[in-house]
Amino acid sequence: MSPYTIIYAIIAYKLLTTLILPWWIQRGSAKWKLRLKTFTANHDGKVIAGEDKDKLLFIAVPSSGAGRAMDIYDECIEELQKREENFTIEVYVTKSSDDIKNLVVSKDVSGYYGIIVLGGDSSITELIQAPLRRNNGKWMYPPILHLPGGSTNLLSKELHGMKSHKEILRQFSTEKVMRAGVIKLSTDGDDSSSIYATHVAFHGIGRHMLVEAEKHRHGMYSVFGTPALMSIILKTVFSPPNKDESPYFALLIASCKGMDSGFGMDLFDDKLVMLHAKQYNGPFRYIKELMINMGTGELVRQYFTSTLPEGVEVKIGEKFTFKDHDFHFILDGTSTVGQKGRTVTVESVQESIPYFVL
C-alpha cells in the first residue's frame, strides 16, 4: 500500500466524519421533525364516530420506534373500524414525553371504554407515572391496550406474544381484562417520588446503553433506525463508562420472547427476577452471559441446575433492597436517580394496571 493511498484514506475518513455524516444527520433530523409536525397536524384531535358507549382514546406516540408508530397508524385505525363494536375513536397525538406524562392527569379519561397506546415500552411507562404515584401504585382509569409501535416492544410481547398490531386489534377481547403488576423503585421509603416500570429496570452498563440510545433519538436513530441503535449499544458494551458498575436487572418477567419467561412466570405473577453480575469482565463475556444467555433461555437452565457462571446471580422475589449504592436506574426507557448512601428498594406492586388481552 502506497503512502498516497493511506493519505487519501485518512482524508476521506476525515471528510466523512466531520462533514458528510454530520450534514446527513442534520438533514435527516430536519426531515424527521417535519414528519412529526405533519403527522400531528393531520391526526391529532381526529374523531371517528361510532357508538358513544364504546368510546376509545387512541394515543399515538409518533416518535416511537424511529417512526414505526406513524408507519402503522393507518392500519391500526382500519382494523379498529372493522370490529363489530363500532367504536367511537378519539385520536390524541403526543407532542413530547412531558405531554404523555401529564395526559391522564390533565385530561378526563373516565368516559372512555378503553385507552389504546400505539408506542413503545417507554410510552406506557411515561403514561402511568403520575396516576400510579397519586394512587399508591394502582391504575384507576380505563384498561389499556398496548400496540407494538416502539423498537423492542417488550410489554406487548409479554401481553400478546409475537402477535402483530393487526392481529392484536382483531383478537383483543373487550370482555377480557387482566391486571398485571408493575415494578416500583423508591429511595429511603419515599413513596411520593417513586418511579414505576411495567416491565424492566436496568442499572449499570444496561443503563448506559439506554442513556446513549436516547441521546440519538432525534439524530442518528431517526435517520438510520435500528442499525444505529445496535451500533450505539455495542459501543457502550465494548467501552463502558464505568467498568466497576454491576449490571442489575429487575424484571416482572425474565424474557422478551413471549408469555413464557422460562422461570415459569409472566407479568400476572407479580414476581421480580433480579440478575446480578459482580463485575464487568469484558464485552464478549457480558454479551454471552447477560444478553445471549438470557434471550435464549440458557441462563434459566443454568439457574435451575446451579451452573451459573462465576459472578452471576439470579434471585426471584417480590422485593429487593440495596444500600450504599450510587444507583441510577432506567425503567423501560425512563430514568430516575438513587443517590449514593441512600437505600434503594425495588419491589413488585401486584395487580396494578388493567390490560385488554387476547
Side-chain angles (χ1 to χ4, degrees), residues 26-55:
Q26 185 178 21
R27 178 172 173 268
S29 181
K31 284 186 174 181
W32 167 251
K33 291 175 182 176
L34 178 60
R35 188 185 177 197
L36 291 174
K37 186 177 180 180
T38 303
F39 181 87
T40 301
N42 290 341
H43 301 291
D44 186 37
K46 184 177 181 180
V47 178
I48 301 166
E51 296 290 339
D52 284 341
K53 66 182 180 64
D54 292 331
K55 187 165 64 171

PDB file of all heavy atoms in Angstrom, residues 26-55:
ATOM      1  N   GLN A  26     -27.943  15.933  10.184  1.00  0.00           N
ATOM      2  CA  GLN A  26     -28.694  17.181  10.343  1.00  0.00           C
ATOM      3  C   GLN A  26     -29.847  17.254   9.345  1.00  0.00           C
ATOM      4  O   GLN A  26     -30.962  17.660   9.689  1.00  0.00           O
ATOM      5  CB  GLN A  26     -27.755  18.374  10.149  1.00  0.00           C
ATOM      6  CG  GLN A  26     -28.419  19.724  10.424  1.00  0.00           C
ATOM      7  CD  GLN A  26     -27.453  20.875  10.280  1.00  0.00           C
ATOM      8  OE1 GLN A  26     -26.412  20.749   9.627  1.00  0.00           O
ATOM      9  NE2 GLN A  26     -27.762  21.998  10.881  1.00  0.00           N
ATOM     10  N   ARG A  27     -29.586  16.857   8.113  1.00  0.00           N
ATOM     11  CA  ARG A  27     -30.623  16.855   7.081  1.00  0.00           C
ATOM     12  C   ARG A  27     -31.726  15.862   7.432  1.00  0.00           C
ATOM     13  O   ARG A  27     -32.919  16.155   7.317  1.00  0.00           O
ATOM     14  CB  ARG A  27     -29.994  16.487   5.736  1.00  0.00           C
ATOM     15  CG  ARG A  27     -30.963  16.405   4.559  1.00  0.00           C
ATOM     16  CD  ARG A  27     -30.166  16.226   3.273  1.00  0.00           C
ATOM     17  NE  ARG A  27     -31.032  15.978   2.134  1.00  0.00           N
ATOM     18  CZ  ARG A  27     -31.387  14.772   1.717  1.00  0.00           C
ATOM     19  NH1 ARG A  27     -30.951  13.702   2.361  1.00  0.00           N
ATOM     20  NH2 ARG A  27     -32.170  14.617   0.664  1.00  0.00           N
ATOM     21  N   GLY A  28     -31.318  14.664   7.887  1.00  0.00           N
ATOM     22  CA  GLY A  28     -32.303  13.652   8.271  1.00  0.00           C
ATOM     23  C   GLY A  28     -33.111  14.083   9.480  1.00  0.00           C
ATOM     24  O   GLY A  28     -34.316  13.803   9.561  1.00  0.00           O
ATOM     25  N   SER A  29     -32.440  14.754  10.425  1.00  0.00           N
ATOM     26  CA  SER A  29     -33.128  15.231  11.623  1.00  0.00           C
ATOM     27  C   SER A  29     -34.184  16.276  11.283  1.00  0.00           C
ATOM     28  O   SER A  29     -35.286  16.281  11.844  1.00  0.00           O
ATOM     29  CB  SER A  29     -32.112  15.805  12.607  1.00  0.00           C
ATOM     30  OG  SER A  29     -32.738  16.259  13.779  1.00  0.00           O
ATOM     31  N   ALA A  30     -33.860  17.164  10.333  1.00  0.00           N
ATOM     32  CA  ALA A  30     -34.832  18.182   9.907  1.00  0.00           C
ATOM     33  C   ALA A  30     -36.046  17.534   9.245  1.00  0.00           C
ATOM     34  O   ALA A  30     -37.193  17.935   9.480  1.00  0.00           O
ATOM     35  CB  ALA A  30     -34.158  19.159   8.945  1.00  0.00           C
ATOM     36  N   LYS A  31     -35.806  16.521   8.421  1.00  0.00           N
ATOM     37  CA  LYS A  31     -36.902  15.793   7.776  1.00  0.00           C
ATOM     38  C   LYS A  31     -37.764  15.086   8.821  1.00  0.00           C
ATOM     39  O   LYS A  31     -38.994  15.043   8.714  1.00  0.00           O
ATOM     40  CB  LYS A  31     -36.348  14.757   6.796  1.00  0.00           C
ATOM     41  CG  LYS A  31     -35.838  15.328   5.490  1.00  0.00           C
ATOM     42  CD  LYS A  31     -35.445  14.203   4.556  1.00  0.00           C
ATOM     43  CE  LYS A  31     -35.076  14.721   3.178  1.00  0.00           C
ATOM     44  NZ  LYS A  31     -34.719  13.623   2.253  1.00  0.00           N
ATOM     45  N   TRP A  32     -37.103  14.524   9.834  1.00  0.00           N
ATOM     46  CA  TRP A  32     -37.793  13.813  10.905  1.00  0.00           C
ATOM     47  C   TRP A  32     -38.729  14.750  11.666  1.00  0.00           C
ATOM     48  O   TRP A  32     -39.888  14.429  11.915  1.00  0.00           O
ATOM     49  CB  TRP A  32     -36.751  13.210  11.832  1.00  0.00           C
ATOM     50  CG  TRP A  32     -37.241  12.690  13.154  1.00  0.00           C
ATOM     51  CD1 TRP A  32     -37.023  13.235  14.376  1.00  0.00           C
ATOM     52  CD2 TRP A  32     -38.015  11.509  13.378  1.00  0.00           C
ATOM     53  NE1 TRP A  32     -37.606  12.473  15.358  1.00  0.00           N
ATOM     54  CE2 TRP A  32     -38.229  11.409  14.788  1.00  0.00           C
ATOM     55  CE3 TRP A  32     -38.547  10.528  12.551  1.00  0.00           C
ATOM     56  CZ2 TRP A  32     -38.945  10.368  15.355  1.00  0.00           C
ATOM     57  CZ3 TRP A  32     -39.270   9.484  13.132  1.00  0.00           C
ATOM     58  CH2 TRP A  32     -39.462   9.410  14.508  1.00  0.00           C
ATOM     59  N   LYS A  33     -38.228  15.927  12.020  1.00  0.00           N
ATOM     60  CA  LYS A  33     -39.049  16.895  12.756  1.00  0.00           C
ATOM     61  C   LYS A  33     -40.235  17.369  11.925  1.00  0.00           C
ATOM     62  O   LYS A  33     -41.341  17.557  12.446  1.00  0.00           O
ATOM     63  CB  LYS A  33     -38.187  18.075  13.195  1.00  0.00           C
ATOM     64  CG  LYS A  33     -37.177  17.711  14.274  1.00  0.00           C
ATOM     65  CD  LYS A  33     -36.256  18.872  14.602  1.00  0.00           C
ATOM     66  CE  LYS A  33     -35.230  18.470  15.649  1.00  0.00           C
ATOM     67  NZ  LYS A  33     -34.259  19.562  15.922  1.00  0.00           N
ATOM     68  N   LEU A  34     -40.026  17.537  10.622  1.00  0.00           N
ATOM     69  CA  LEU A  34     -41.112  17.938   9.731  1.00  0.00           C
ATOM     70  C   LEU A  34     -42.155  16.828   9.632  1.00  0.00           C
ATOM     71  O   LEU A  34     -43.365  17.095   9.628  1.00  0.00           O
ATOM     72  CB  LEU A  34     -40.567  18.264   8.342  1.00  0.00           C
ATOM     73  CG  LEU A  34     -41.612  18.654   7.282  1.00  0.00           C
ATOM     74  CD1 LEU A  34     -42.375  19.906   7.721  1.00  0.00           C
ATOM     75  CD2 LEU A  34     -40.944  18.865   5.928  1.00  0.00           C
ATOM     76  N   ARG A  35     -41.691  15.587   9.586  1.00  0.00           N
ATOM     77  CA  ARG A  35     -42.623  14.452   9.532  1.00  0.00           C
ATOM     78  C   ARG A  35     -43.481  14.375  10.791  1.00  0.00           C
ATOM     79  O   ARG A  35     -44.683  14.142  10.719  1.00  0.00           O
ATOM     80  CB  ARG A  35     -41.834  13.150   9.341  1.00  0.00           C
ATOM     81  CG  ARG A  35     -42.729  11.949   9.075  1.00  0.00           C
ATOM     82  CD  ARG A  35     -41.936  10.670   9.016  1.00  0.00           C
ATOM     83  NE  ARG A  35     -42.826   9.527   8.834  1.00  0.00           N
ATOM     84  CZ  ARG A  35     -42.489   8.271   9.071  1.00  0.00           C
ATOM     85  NH1 ARG A  35     -41.259   7.988   9.487  1.00  0.00           N
ATOM     86  NH2 ARG A  35     -43.353   7.300   8.903  1.00  0.00           N
ATOM     87  N   LEU A  36     -42.857  14.575  11.952  1.00  0.00           N
ATOM     88  CA  LEU A  36     -43.605  14.577  13.213  1.00  0.00           C
ATOM     89  C   LEU A  36     -44.658  15.676  13.229  1.00  0.00           C
ATOM     90  O   LEU A  36     -45.814  15.453  13.620  1.00  0.00           O
ATOM     91  CB  LEU A  36     -42.648  14.757  14.398  1.00  0.00           C
ATOM     92  CG  LEU A  36     -41.685  13.622  14.731  1.00  0.00           C
ATOM     93  CD1 LEU A  36     -40.732  14.048  15.837  1.00  0.00           C
ATOM     94  CD2 LEU A  36     -42.430  12.361  15.137  1.00  0.00           C
ATOM     95  N   LYS A  37     -44.256  16.856  12.790  1.00  0.00           N
ATOM     96  CA  LYS A  37     -45.162  18.004  12.781  1.00  0.00           C
ATOM     97  C   LYS A  37     -46.344  17.759  11.842  1.00  0.00           C
ATOM     98  O   LYS A  37     -47.497  18.071  12.176  1.00  0.00           O
ATOM     99  CB  LYS A  37     -44.384  19.250  12.349  1.00  0.00           C
ATOM    100  CG  LYS A  37     -45.175  20.542  12.422  1.00  0.00           C
ATOM    101  CD  LYS A  37     -44.311  21.735  12.044  1.00  0.00           C
ATOM    102  CE  LYS A  37     -45.106  23.033  12.110  1.00  0.00           C
ATOM    103  NZ  LYS A  37     -44.250  24.201  11.750  1.00  0.00           N
ATOM    104  N   THR A  38     -46.075  17.190  10.667  1.00  0.00           N
ATOM    105  CA  THR A  38     -47.126  16.914   9.687  1.00  0.00           C
ATOM    106  C   THR A  38     -48.090  15.850  10.190  1.00  0.00           C
ATOM    107  O   THR A  38     -49.314  15.989  10.060  1.00  0.00           O
ATOM    108  CB  THR A  38     -46.501  16.459   8.355  1.00  0.00           C
ATOM    109  OG1 THR A  38     -45.603  17.461   7.887  1.00  0.00           O
ATOM    110  CG2 THR A  38     -47.576  16.217   7.308  1.00  0.00           C
ATOM    111  N   PHE A  39     -47.553  14.796  10.793  1.00  0.00           N
ATOM    112  CA  PHE A  39     -48.399  13.720  11.319  1.00  0.00           C
ATOM    113  C   PHE A  39     -49.326  14.254  12.408  1.00  0.00           C
ATOM    114  O   PHE A  39     -50.519  13.944  12.434  1.00  0.00           O
ATOM    115  CB  PHE A  39     -47.521  12.600  11.882  1.00  0.00           C
ATOM    116  CG  PHE A  39     -48.302  11.434  12.430  1.00  0.00           C
ATOM    117  CD1 PHE A  39     -48.703  10.408  11.608  1.00  0.00           C
ATOM    118  CD2 PHE A  39     -48.637  11.380  13.779  1.00  0.00           C
ATOM    119  CE1 PHE A  39     -49.432   9.326  12.098  1.00  0.00           C
ATOM    120  CE2 PHE A  39     -49.368  10.311  14.285  1.00  0.00           C
ATOM    121  CZ  PHE A  39     -49.754   9.286  13.441  1.00  0.00           C
ATOM    122  N   THR A  40     -48.773  15.063  13.297  1.00  0.00           N
ATOM    123  CA  THR A  40     -49.579  15.643  14.379  1.00  0.00           C
ATOM    124  C   THR A  40     -50.697  16.522  13.823  1.00  0.00           C
ATOM    125  O   THR A  40     -51.854  16.432  14.254  1.00  0.00           O
ATOM    126  CB  THR A  40     -48.688  16.467  15.324  1.00  0.00           C
ATOM    127  OG1 THR A  40     -47.666  15.622  15.865  1.00  0.00           O
ATOM    128  CG2 THR A  40     -49.504  17.053  16.464  1.00  0.00           C
ATOM    129  N   ALA A  41     -50.362  17.354  12.855  1.00  0.00           N
ATOM    130  CA  ALA A  41     -51.358  18.250  12.265  1.00  0.00           C
ATOM    131  C   ALA A  41     -52.486  17.481  11.576  1.00  0.00           C
ATOM    132  O   ALA A  41     -53.648  17.887  11.605  1.00  0.00           O
ATOM    133  CB  ALA A  41     -50.674  19.185  11.275  1.00  0.00           C
ATOM    134  N   ASN A  42     -52.147  16.334  10.979  1.00  0.00           N
ATOM    135  CA  ASN A  42     -53.141  15.560  10.223  1.00  0.00           C
ATOM    136  C   ASN A  42     -54.043  14.700  11.097  1.00  0.00           C
ATOM    137  O   ASN A  42     -55.172  14.383  10.700  1.00  0.00           O
ATOM    138  CB  ASN A  42     -52.442  14.661   9.199  1.00  0.00           C
ATOM    139  CG  ASN A  42     -51.829  15.436   8.057  1.00  0.00           C
ATOM    140  OD1 ASN A  42     -52.202  16.586   7.817  1.00  0.00           O
ATOM    141  ND2 ASN A  42     -50.873  14.840   7.365  1.00  0.00           N
ATOM    142  N   HIS A  43     -53.556  14.301  12.278  1.00  0.00           N
ATOM    143  CA  HIS A  43     -54.293  13.289  13.040  1.00  0.00           C
ATOM    144  C   HIS A  43     -54.704  13.687  14.459  1.00  0.00           C
ATOM    145  O   HIS A  43     -55.647  13.111  15.001  1.00  0.00           O
ATOM    146  CB  HIS A  43     -53.470  11.997  13.106  1.00  0.00           C
ATOM    147  CG  HIS A  43     -53.138  11.424  11.769  1.00  0.00           C
ATOM    148  ND1 HIS A  43     -54.090  10.875  10.937  1.00  0.00           N
ATOM    149  CD2 HIS A  43     -51.955  11.337  11.099  1.00  0.00           C
ATOM    150  CE1 HIS A  43     -53.509  10.461   9.817  1.00  0.00           C
ATOM    151  NE2 HIS A  43     -52.220  10.738   9.893  1.00  0.00           N
ATOM    152  N   ASP A  44     -54.016  14.629  15.078  1.00  0.00           N
ATOM    153  CA  ASP A  44     -54.341  14.981  16.457  1.00  0.00           C
ATOM    154  C   ASP A  44     -55.749  15.574  16.554  1.00  0.00           C
ATOM    155  O   ASP A  44     -56.115  16.481  15.802  1.00  0.00           O
ATOM    156  CB  ASP A  44     -53.327  15.993  16.992  1.00  0.00           C
ATOM    157  CG  ASP A  44     -53.531  16.276  18.471  1.00  0.00           C
ATOM    158  OD1 ASP A  44     -53.869  15.332  19.204  1.00  0.00           O
ATOM    159  OD2 ASP A  44     -53.374  17.438  18.881  1.00  0.00           O
ATOM    160  N   GLY A  45     -56.546  15.038  17.473  1.00  0.00           N
ATOM    161  CA  GLY A  45     -57.910  15.529  17.675  1.00  0.00           C
ATOM    162  C   GLY A  45     -58.940  14.931  16.749  1.00  0.00           C
ATOM    163  O   GLY A  45     -60.133  15.262  16.841  1.00  0.00           O
ATOM    164  N   LYS A  46     -58.516  14.040  15.875  1.00  0.00           N
ATOM    165  CA  LYS A  46     -59.445  13.417  14.935  1.00  0.00           C
ATOM    166  C   LYS A  46     -60.424  12.518  15.686  1.00  0.00           C
ATOM    167  O   LYS A  46     -60.053  11.776  16.587  1.00  0.00           O
ATOM    168  CB  LYS A  46     -58.659  12.592  13.919  1.00  0.00           C
ATOM    169  CG  LYS A  46     -59.498  11.962  12.823  1.00  0.00           C
ATOM    170  CD  LYS A  46     -58.597  11.227  11.824  1.00  0.00           C
ATOM    171  CE  LYS A  46     -59.413  10.600  10.710  1.00  0.00           C
ATOM    172  NZ  LYS A  46     -58.533   9.884   9.737  1.00  0.00           N
ATOM    173  N   VAL A  47     -61.699  12.586  15.324  1.00  0.00           N
ATOM    174  CA  VAL A  47     -62.730  11.752  15.939  1.00  0.00           C
ATOM    175  C   VAL A  47     -63.424  10.927  14.854  1.00  0.00           C
ATOM    176  O   VAL A  47     -63.915  11.482  13.874  1.00  0.00           O
ATOM    177  CB  VAL A  47     -63.777  12.595  16.692  1.00  0.00           C
ATOM    178  CG1 VAL A  47     -64.866  11.697  17.268  1.00  0.00           C
ATOM    179  CG2 VAL A  47     -63.113  13.399  17.804  1.00  0.00           C
ATOM    180  N   ILE A  48     -63.421   9.610  15.047  1.00  0.00           N
ATOM    181  CA  ILE A  48     -64.100   8.702  14.124  1.00  0.00           C
ATOM    182  C   ILE A  48     -65.371   8.239  14.813  1.00  0.00           C
ATOM    183  O   ILE A  48     -65.329   7.518  15.815  1.00  0.00           O
ATOM    184  CB  ILE A  48     -63.197   7.514  13.766  1.00  0.00           C
ATOM    185  CG1 ILE A  48     -61.908   8.044  13.116  1.00  0.00           C
ATOM    186  CG2 ILE A  48     -63.913   6.546  12.829  1.00  0.00           C
ATOM    187  CD1 ILE A  48     -60.809   7.023  13.011  1.00  0.00           C
ATOM    188  N   ALA A  49     -66.505   8.684  14.322  1.00  0.00           N
ATOM    189  CA  ALA A  49     -67.786   8.492  15.019  1.00  0.00           C
ATOM    190  C   ALA A  49     -68.219   7.031  15.032  1.00  0.00           C
ATOM    191  O   ALA A  49     -68.027   6.287  14.075  1.00  0.00           O
ATOM    192  CB  ALA A  49     -68.859   9.356  14.364  1.00  0.00           C
ATOM    193  N   GLY A  50     -68.806   6.651  16.165  1.00  0.00           N
ATOM    194  CA  GLY A  50     -69.375   5.319  16.342  1.00  0.00           C
ATOM    195  C   GLY A  50     -70.322   5.362  17.525  1.00  0.00           C
ATOM    196  O   GLY A  50     -70.984   6.374  17.762  1.00  0.00           O
ATOM    197  N   GLU A  51     -70.372   4.278  18.291  1.00  0.00           N
ATOM    198  CA  GLU A  51     -71.222   4.231  19.482  1.00  0.00           C
ATOM    199  C   GLU A  51     -70.534   4.959  20.640  1.00  0.00           C
ATOM    200  O   GLU A  51     -69.381   4.686  20.959  1.00  0.00           O
ATOM    201  CB  GLU A  51     -71.485   2.774  19.875  1.00  0.00           C
ATOM    202  CG  GLU A  51     -72.270   1.985  18.847  1.00  0.00           C
ATOM    203  CD  GLU A  51     -73.714   2.430  18.764  1.00  0.00           C
ATOM    204  OE1 GLU A  51     -74.203   3.045  19.737  1.00  0.00           O
ATOM    205  OE2 GLU A  51     -74.359   2.175  17.726  1.00  0.00           O
ATOM    206  N   ASP A  52     -71.269   5.888  21.282  1.00  0.00           N
ATOM    207  CA  ASP A  52     -70.688   6.651  22.388  1.00  0.00           C
ATOM    208  C   ASP A  52     -70.318   5.773  23.575  1.00  0.00           C
ATOM    209  O   ASP A  52     -69.341   6.031  24.283  1.00  0.00           O
ATOM    210  CB  ASP A  52     -71.666   7.736  22.850  1.00  0.00           C
ATOM    211  CG  ASP A  52     -71.697   8.912  21.886  1.00  0.00           C
ATOM    212  OD1 ASP A  52     -70.748   9.041  21.098  1.00  0.00           O
ATOM    213  OD2 ASP A  52     -72.678   9.672  21.921  1.00  0.00           O
ATOM    214  N   LYS A  53     -71.077   4.710  23.790  1.00  0.00           N
ATOM    215  CA  LYS A  53     -70.807   3.860  24.956  1.00  0.00           C
ATOM    216  C   LYS A  53     -69.507   3.065  24.789  1.00  0.00           C
ATOM    217  O   LYS A  53     -68.954   2.557  25.762  1.00  0.00           O
ATOM    218  CB  LYS A  53     -71.971   2.897  25.190  1.00  0.00           C
ATOM    219  CG  LYS A  53     -72.171   1.848  24.096  1.00  0.00           C
ATOM    220  CD  LYS A  53     -73.376   0.979  24.397  1.00  0.00           C
ATOM    221  CE  LYS A  53     -73.625  -0.086  23.332  1.00  0.00           C
ATOM    222  NZ  LYS A  53     -72.509  -1.055  23.251  1.00  0.00           N
ATOM    223  N   ASP A  54     -69.029   2.961  23.550  1.00  0.00           N
ATOM    224  CA  ASP A  54     -67.783   2.246  23.276  1.00  0.00           C
ATOM    225  C   ASP A  54     -66.708   3.204  22.780  1.00  0.00           C
ATOM    226  O   ASP A  54     -66.012   2.935  21.810  1.00  0.00           O
ATOM    227  CB  ASP A  54     -68.015   1.142  22.230  1.00  0.00           C
ATOM    228  CG  ASP A  54     -68.892   0.014  22.761  1.00  0.00           C
ATOM    229  OD1 ASP A  54     -68.855  -0.211  23.980  1.00  0.00           O
ATOM    230  OD2 ASP A  54     -69.592  -0.621  21.968  1.00  0.00           O
ATOM    231  N   LYS A  55     -66.583   4.335  23.449  1.00  0.00           N
ATOM    232  CA  LYS A  55     -65.618   5.349  23.018  1.00  0.00           C
ATOM    233  C   LYS A  55     -64.209   4.972  23.470  1.00  0.00           C
ATOM    234  O   LYS A  55     -63.982   4.643  24.638  1.00  0.00           O
ATOM    235  CB  LYS A  55     -66.016   6.713  23.590  1.00  0.00           C
ATOM    236  CG  LYS A  55     -65.166   7.860  23.055  1.00  0.00           C
ATOM    237  CD  LYS A  55     -65.798   9.206  23.345  1.00  0.00           C
ATOM    238  CE  LYS A  55     -65.882   9.495  24.825  1.00  0.00           C
ATOM    239  NZ  LYS A  55     -66.290  10.876  25.120  1.00  0.00           N
TER     240      LYS A  55
END
